[in-house]
Amino acid sequence: MAAINFINYVVDTMYYKTNPEFDIENNKDITIDEDVDAHINIIDDEETAIITLRAKLDENENVPFSFEVSIVGYFEFDEKESDGIDFRDLLKTNAVAILFPYLRSIVSELTGKSNRFPNYNMPVRNIAREMSEKNNIKITD
């Protein structure tokens, strides 16, 4: 058994918009820098959590499209298996890392459906550390 158990996830938001102002001829080297954030809601006597993980790219003249994708993940905590590690710490690191591949996959599929631009594959990275450094993880009880 593990201290944190991933129950399931559901897609909450999928939004995609092609940028009509994007000049593909003068923008050969596209750099996409999406924002990723998480909202963690701890419920049921600190034994259950709901995490909303979101990736968002705002439209601007340097990107061919904009998008927003959010997923909601459900987790349970087993204190006996935690070795003294706080539930919040597990959620900010492990739970976010568990959800990130699902979010990446949805963004890739959604952006590829335009049939105008190739799929955008969000880079693999230590998303929990990145979000912590940017203060993009919020926790509520």
Side-chain angles (χ1 to χ4, degrees), residues 8-114:
N8 199 7
Y9 83 94
V10 295
V11 176
D12 183 56
T13 304
M14 286 193 306
Y15 167 82
Y16 174 91
K17 182 178 180 292
T18 298
N19 181 357
E21 303 301 317
F22 181 72
D23 181 5
I24 196 163
E25 296 301 320
N26 293 318
N27 284 296
K28 296 291 184 192
D29 296 321
I30 301 168
T31 301
I32 295 179
D33 187 21
E34 74 282 342
D35 291 318
V36 181
D37 59 58
H39 181 260
I40 299 171
N41 187 12
I42 300 172
I43 55 176
D44 291 340
D45 296 327
E46 311 240 338
E47 293 179 359
T48 306
I50 300 170
I51 300 178
T52 302
L53 186 64
R54 179 182 72 144
K56 183 176 182 181
L57 177 66
D58 291 323
E59 186 175 305
N60 66 63
E61 65 276 356
N62 299 319
V63 295
F65 49 77
S66 58
F67 66 80
E68 181 176 351
V69 174
S70 65
I71 60 174
V72 179
Y74 301 90
F75 294 85
E76 290 179 342
F77 181 56
D78 185 347
E79 188 174 2
K80 293 178 217 138
E81 298 289 329
S82 71
D83 293 329
I85 301 171
D86 185 64
F87 188 30
R88 284 170 179 74
D89 292 335
L90 289 168
L91 292 168
K92 290 190 293 188
T93 55
N94 298 36
V96 167
I98 289 168
L99 287 176
F100 187 60
Y102 296 100
L103 185 71
R104 287 184 71 239
S105 175
I106 294 166
V107 167
S108 178
E109 291 177 34
L110 179 64
T111 57
K113 298 292 183 194
S114 74

